[in-house]
Amino acid sequence: MKQTKLVRITDIKRDAALLEEAGQIIRDGGLVVFPTETVYGIGANGLDADACRSIYTAKGRPSDNPLILTVPGRDAVRQAAASVSPTAELLMKTFWPGPLTIIFPRQPQVPDAATGGLDTVALRCPDHAVCRAFLKAAGVPVAGPSANLSTRPSPTTAEEVMHDMDGRVDMVIDGGPCKIGVESTIVECNDHGGVTILRPGGVTAEMLHTVVPYVRMDTHLVTGQGTPKAPGMKYRHYAPAAPMIVAVGSVEAVMAELKQLYEEARRDGKTVGFLVSQEVGACLPDAHRYVWGHHGDAEALARQLYTGLLSFDTDKVDLILAEGIDSEGLGAAVMNRMKKSAGGNVRFV
Ligand code: TXA
Ligand code: MG
């Protein structure tokens, strides 16, 4: 068991010594949890195979699931990518720093332990000042998957990180709550100027379309068939302890559906937790509830989703009844996560 040092960093200049200490831990092969605009990441030296392997141990993650390498800017890409296509260049110029992960051909110096043996590497440059200062201090690409135990919802506050990672990492940098709340979009570039979305996220298909002529979704995301191109998408993920049912539709339809499901659950003697908007929550029976914002507000739901799910682990409910959102814009990322959290149990009402 490690002694985990929790540090709060708000001012990069004032806290330069702490950032340097964090960078040194990475160079020495240790683990540092860091904030990003999406979710917290658990960092290790991405060029050090043993350090990368220790991430898998800390997370309890299957080792064929490759890690994203996190970099402070475009200049650092060549440390890990063998080449950069014109489309990748354009995407980096437009969306970095930001919630977009791009797949590149891999440099030989990137170990198999980081890429799960793939000949590609996923790179991302977060839009978070503390994070980028930490990455600069580290001086190497930092392998950084979400800082949750495997299968659990990703943490968006340092408190949630400590719940899963206390004793498993050397340092946790508290940079405040994450602005976006769901993980980055992952894209692969093809040879004809188009991109395939392997995981929907904060950079939406609509946003990509403003600079790239062809944007398609990985077939697995659309049909649920075949093998997902992002290996991690095949695993159980973002799962709260209790089973969950999601309803999507108008305020009235969702309310009616959740009320009926609630009554059935109560007849079976189950305790219920609601994860709903203010509008839907207004007329639901008294039960554990987590209200995330206004009906249809994808940004609010993205920001609150994981904290809401984790609150039901603390409250120990038997069933979570949740309100979803239209799969447009950021809603696509939110519904991709909610569907996984609910093991596919989504009802359009
Ligand atoms: O927002 C994010 O991306 C967060 C923050 C912490 O940066 N990170 C994150 O990492 O979500 P993780 O490890 O939880 O998810 C990485 C996903 C996995 O589904 C993995 O299979 C996929 O990226 N991936 C990594 N390298 C890949 C590659 N070379 N080709 C295809 N998919 C890859
Ligand atoms: Mg993850």
Side-chain angles (χ1 to χ4, degrees):
M1 180 131 158
K2 288 174 184 262
Q3 187 71 34
T4 301
K5 180 170 178 180
L6 173 64
V7 298
R8 175 149 178 82
I9 298 187
T10 44
D11 185 324
I12 290 164
K13 281 209 181 97
R14 195 194 57 213
D15 297 323
L18 283 174
L19 287 162
E20 188 41 47
E21 186 183 339
Q24 188 64 48
I25 293 173
I26 294 293
R27 288 192 298 280
D28 290 344
L31 296 176
V32 176
V33 172
F34 58 94
T36 82
E37 79 282 37
T38 59
V39 301
Y40 275 78
I42 172 172
N45 182 347
L47 303 181
D48 173 342
D50 286 337
C52 290
R53 275 192 283 269
S54 67
I55 289 186
Y56 291 102
T57 313
K59 276 179 68 81
R61 174 175 177 140
S63 60
D64 71 330
N65 189 3
L67 307 171
I68 290 175
L69 298 197
T70 321
V71 292
R74 272 190 279 157
D75 295 347
V77 162
R78 289 292 184 159
Q79 285 180 296
S83 61
V84 177
S85 69
T87 307
E89 193 71 55
L90 180 64
L91 291 174
M92 287 192 290
K93 272 199 188 123
T94 314
F95 297 109
W96 279 14
L100 181 71
T101 298
I102 305 169
I103 310 284
F104 292 89
R106 145 198 181 185
Q107 277 267 13
Q109 66 164 339
V110 179
D112 280 344
T115 66
L118 297 176
D119 54 8
T120 53
V121 62
L123 297 181
R124 140 161 167 79
C125 174
D127 182 15
H128 194 293
V130 171
C131 175
R132 292 217 308 288
F134 156 67
L135 295 170
K136 278 188 193 137
V140 289
V142 170
S146 49
N148 51 285
L149 291 175
S150 197
T151 81
R152 298 218 339 130
S154 308
T156 55
T157 66
E159 195 186 342
E160 288 159 11
V161 168
M162 287 302 278
H163 183 278
D164 277 15
M165 289 298 155
D166 193 9
R168 293 172 175 263
V169 299
D170 299 288
M171 186 186 265
V172 171
I173 301 175
D174 179 355
C178 302
K179 272 191 316 208
I180 296 182
V182 292
E183 297 81 352
S184 62
T185 308
I186 304 178
V187 294
E188 185 185 71
C189 305
N190 67 27
D191 296 336
H192 313 288
V195 300
T196 303
I197 296 178
L198 310 190
R199 178 177 73 181
V203 172
T204 63
E206 293 83 344
M207 288 159 75
L208 290 166
H209 230 301
T210 61
V211 294
V212 170
Y214 306 105
V215 179
R216 60 179 287 271
M217 289 279 179
D218 184 12
T219 314
H220 179 82
L221 284 177
V222 183
T223 63
Q225 307 294 308
T227 309
K229 284 192 160 183
M233 301 295 280
K234 69 176 180 276
Y235 293 108
R236 184 178 143 86
H237 224 145
Y238 322 115
M244 169 163 150
I245 302 173
V246 184
V248 186
S250 67
V251 171
E252 295 70 26
V254 171
M255 210 185 296
E257 180 74 10
L258 296 190
K259 242 183 206 165
Q260 193 190 330
L261 289 166
Y262 169 84
E263 274 151 24
E264 284 167 19
R266 293 300 293 159
R267 274 199 294 276
D268 295 340
K270 289 182 183 157
T271 55
V272 170
F274 289 119
L275 181 67
V276 289
S277 68
Q278 282 171 25
E279 290 79 3
V280 167
C283 290
L284 288 173
D286 221 12
H288 294 272
R289 71 182 60 207
Y290 189 97
V291 176
W292 43 260
H294 288 294
H295 177 77
D297 184 346
E299 285 179 14
L301 180 50
R303 224 170 18 243
Q304 304 282 322
L305 176 63
Y306 293 144
T307 296
L309 291 177
L310 290 168
S311 77
F312 298 117
D313 285 5
T314 313
D315 288 352
K316 296 207 172 15
V317 300
D318 299 316
L319 176 68
I320 300 168
L321 297 177
E323 171 187 355
I325 201 156
D326 281 341
S327 288
E328 274 167 25
L330 187 60
V334 172
M335 285 312 294
N336 169 267
R337 308 308 191 273
M338 284 190 106
K339 196 172 166 191
K340 289 229 163 194
S341 308
N345 204 341
V346 179
R347 302 172 178 195
F348 296 92
V349 293

